[in-house]
Amino acid sequence: MTYVKRVPYVKRVTYVTLAVLVLVTGGCTPMAGGVQGTPGASGVQDPYFPRLGNGGYDVSHYALDLAFDPASGRLDGTARITARATQDLSAFNLDLAGLTVAKATVDGAPAAANRAGDELTLRPRDELRRGDEFTVTVDYSGVPEPLTDPDGSTEGWLNSADGALAVGEPAGSMTWFPGNHHPSDKASYEIALTAPSRLTALSNGVRVSAAPVSGDRTRTVWRQSEPMASYLATVMIGRYETTTGTALGDVPVVTAVDPSLTAATAALRAELPALLADQRDRYGPYPFGAAGAVVTADGLLGYALETQTRPVFPASSFDRTTLVHELAHQWFGNSVTPESWQDIWLNEGFATYAEWRYAEDHEDVPARSAFEDAFADEANWAFPPADPPAAENLFGAPVYQRGAMVLHKVREAVGDEVFDELLRGWAAKYRHANASTEDFTAYAETVAGRDLDAVWDVWLYGEERPANPG
Ligand code: ARG
Ligand code: ZN
């Protein structure tokens, strides 16, 4: 899918994008008798990360072949990307941070490759016509570096004591593979990992094969067939104690925990199928063909993350509430994915509401009391959930807590029965797609059969805390 900019919320214009366009266009000559394509844009103008993602094409599939040597920290990769041109293209960009590109091809022919910052520009030998499907290969290598987020947390390729963990929300996936790294362009994935045979190598989706290769190494192939935003791609290589089983009838479940945590995590791990069934009953069919959870030793990752089909938890946040939160993201965030980072409350507000709902259903704490606690907390009123002031606020308290408060107010406005139908309908209507805040407000009003301005004005967009919780 392609991201369409919503004018009222644009925060920044990047002049760098324009400069790159001018530079690339300057060297362009028309092909004899052919159309004259233009370079694809170097970003999709996301309000918070204007150069994330790229214009001019849509990716349908990534095949990543990654060999990792934990001793040296070196990654050797080949990315094979299948895409369709959405304009006549003389050149296009991929996002890639660090690493060295040895070779790139488009439809088998060598393509000129240029690097500038986190942008890799490829110029195919033959221009691409709008509507053409094409295949890009990029051979690359190096020692990947983690990335520090605007909010100070760390993501990307993280080296552990015996392997590595790769995560990417919001922008870290470009530290380990070239791609169209904006959530609006979802694709299927096949991720092959070559690593020392004594280690476990996990990624998203189902494991399709594992075969020994030279040097006491194993090549393990994982397949994520349903669309995935690149920020949800993951790699876990290391010593893990794994279990396999099924949930929801026939969905394969893989859990992996750091060996030091086996005993402490056993009970909660065993609850995963029941928690998934509980959420399936609330939110509708589970959107993916695989499930699981990974628990790492503390110190590697500073937060839990809903990596698709295989959420990851630092040991200290592997508790039932956080597990409920990350599993709820499989519906809200991973299947229904924000159209831009401005829509992040559609992830975090919904996953937080799933925690409130779980506590109401199973722990005798009505969602209304969670709502009142959130209302009383000053931190939740720093900014409106639909309009975080800057990239460093995307994972701030109002996005989670006020995002959930919005949903509670919708519930109070429409009643429990319609609200349940609304959440299930939202997950169904935008299943495996992208959605924006405006999509949600319009959808909710359709289900409610009336406008809900009173909810949106105060709870979603309002700057000030109202006099009382209502
Ligand atoms: N999405 C994660 C969650 O489930 C949090 C990610 C935090 N990332 C960050 N860069 N601060 O809450
Ligand atoms: Zn979350």
Side-chain angles (χ1 to χ4, degrees):
M1 289 188 74
T2 303
Y3 172 61
V4 181
K5 178 175 72 171
R6 276 157 294 134
V7 179
Y9 297 110
V10 171
K11 295 208 171 321
R12 301 172 189 180
V13 176
T14 171
Y15 296 101
V16 185
T17 307
L18 296 174
V20 168
L21 278 176
V22 169
L23 277 175
V24 177
T25 315
C28 185
T29 46
M31 287 163 36
V35 287
Q36 184 176 1
T38 52
S42 63
V44 296
Q45 298 295 313
D46 186 280
Y48 299 88
F49 303 97
R51 302 195 63 193
L52 210 53
N54 300 283
Y57 64 93
D58 266 346
V59 176
S60 57
H61 185 69
Y62 292 87
L64 308 178
D65 217 321
L66 308 177
F68 182 61
D69 174 30
S72 62
R74 182 183 161 96
L75 180 70
D76 276 282
T78 297
R80 195 161 181 280
I81 302 171
T82 309
R84 189 175 294 282
T86 55
Q87 66 179 66
D88 294 340
L89 277 175
S90 59
F92 59 88
N93 281 15
L94 297 167
D95 303 313
L96 180 66
L99 305 170
T100 302
V101 173
K103 186 178 173 210
T105 68
V106 175
D107 289 335
N114 277 292
R115 300 291 299 276
D118 298 339
E119 299 290 332
L120 165 65
T121 302
L122 299 182
R123 176 181 296 280
R125 190 187 60 192
D126 299 324
E127 290 196 350
L128 298 162
R129 297 281 194 113
R130 177 186 180 155
D132 283 353
E133 182 166 281
F134 61 99
T135 304
V136 185
T137 65
V138 180
D139 293 341
Y140 62 100
S141 63
V143 176
E145 297 272 356
L147 198 135
T148 302
D149 289 337
D151 67 8
S153 58
T154 305
E155 52 158 333
W157 189 276
L158 313 173
N159 287 316
S160 64
D162 46 18
L165 169 67
V167 292
E169 190 182 26
S173 295
M174 66 178 166
T175 67
W176 57 281
F177 67 97
N180 200 19
H181 289 301
H182 188 266
S184 54
D185 192 2
K186 306 211 290 185
S188 57
Y189 283 70
E190 190 164 284
I191 300 180
L193 301 172
T194 300
S197 301
R198 67 194 153 78
L199 302 178
T200 300
L202 295 158
S203 185
N204 312 90
V206 294
R207 199 180 79 155
V208 292
S209 65
V213 293
S214 66
D216 288 325
R217 297 180 306 164
T218 297
R219 183 171 179 272
T220 311
V221 182
W222 293 87
R223 184 177 295 153
Q224 171 60 58
S225 316
E226 301 87 6
M228 176 165 78
S230 80
Y231 78 89
L232 297 165
T234 189
V235 167
M236 296 100 174
I237 296 172
R239 288 179 59 231
Y240 285 103
E241 196 265 315
T242 62
T243 64
T244 56
T246 55
L248 307 172
D250 58 355
V251 176
V253 177
V254 178
T255 71
V257 305
D258 185 274
S260 68
L261 307 167
T262 309
T265 57
L268 188 52
R269 262 208 277 189
E271 275 187 51
L272 196 143
L275 293 173
L276 276 178
D278 183 67
Q279 298 199 343
R280 185 258 329 262
D281 293 345
R282 278 248 166 260
Y283 309 127
Y286 179 67
F288 304 114
V294 176
V295 189
T296 67
D298 277 335
L300 183 56
L301 184 66
Y303 46 86
L305 190 68
E306 64 267 27
T307 36
Q308 193 151 308
T309 70
R310 208 128 291 137
V312 57
F313 304 81
S316 56
S317 32
F318 192 56
D319 51 62
R320 193 176 292 102
T321 302
T322 311
L323 182 54
V324 164
H325 179 107
E326 306 307 341
L327 293 179
H329 274 310
Q330 306 304 314
W331 284 260
F332 306 113
N334 300 9
S335 171
V336 182
T337 302
E339 199 162 279
S340 96
W341 286 111
Q342 184 161 3
D343 305 311
I344 185 66
W345 80 276
L346 295 175
N347 289 10
E348 303 305 347
F350 281 58
T352 302
Y353 201 75
E355 297 173 29
W356 294 5
R357 198 55 185 258
Y358 184 87
E360 175 171 315
D361 292 345
H362 302 280
E363 292 161 1
D364 229 20
V365 183
R368 174 72 198 189
S369 60
F371 167 85
E372 285 172 6
D373 290 349
F375 180 87
D377 187 345
E378 193 73 45
N380 298 330
W381 294 92
F383 57 85
D387 199 12
E392 69 191 51
N393 308 112
L394 287 175
F395 301 96
V399 171
Y400 288 72
Q401 300 293 321
R402 254 183 84 183
M405 290 162 78
V406 171
L407 291 178
H408 194 73
K409 278 292 157 188
V410 172
R411 178 178 170 182
E412 289 184 347
V414 302
D416 282 5
E417 211 168 301
V418 174
F419 183 69
D420 282 345
E421 182 196 318
L422 191 151
L423 287 184
R424 270 197 291 276
W426 174 247
K429 183 169 159 86
Y430 291 95
R431 180 180 169 90
H432 296 156
N434 290 88
S436 66
T437 299
E438 291 81 350
D439 290 329
F440 178 71
T441 54
Y443 177 76
E445 292 185 348
T446 305
V447 175
R450 63 187 167 89
D451 89 59
L452 296 168
D453 286 347
V455 175
W456 316 138
D457 290 353
V458 175
W459 304 93
L460 185 55
Y461 294 110
E463 298 281 350
E464 301 293 326
R465 173 163 42 190
N468 62 68

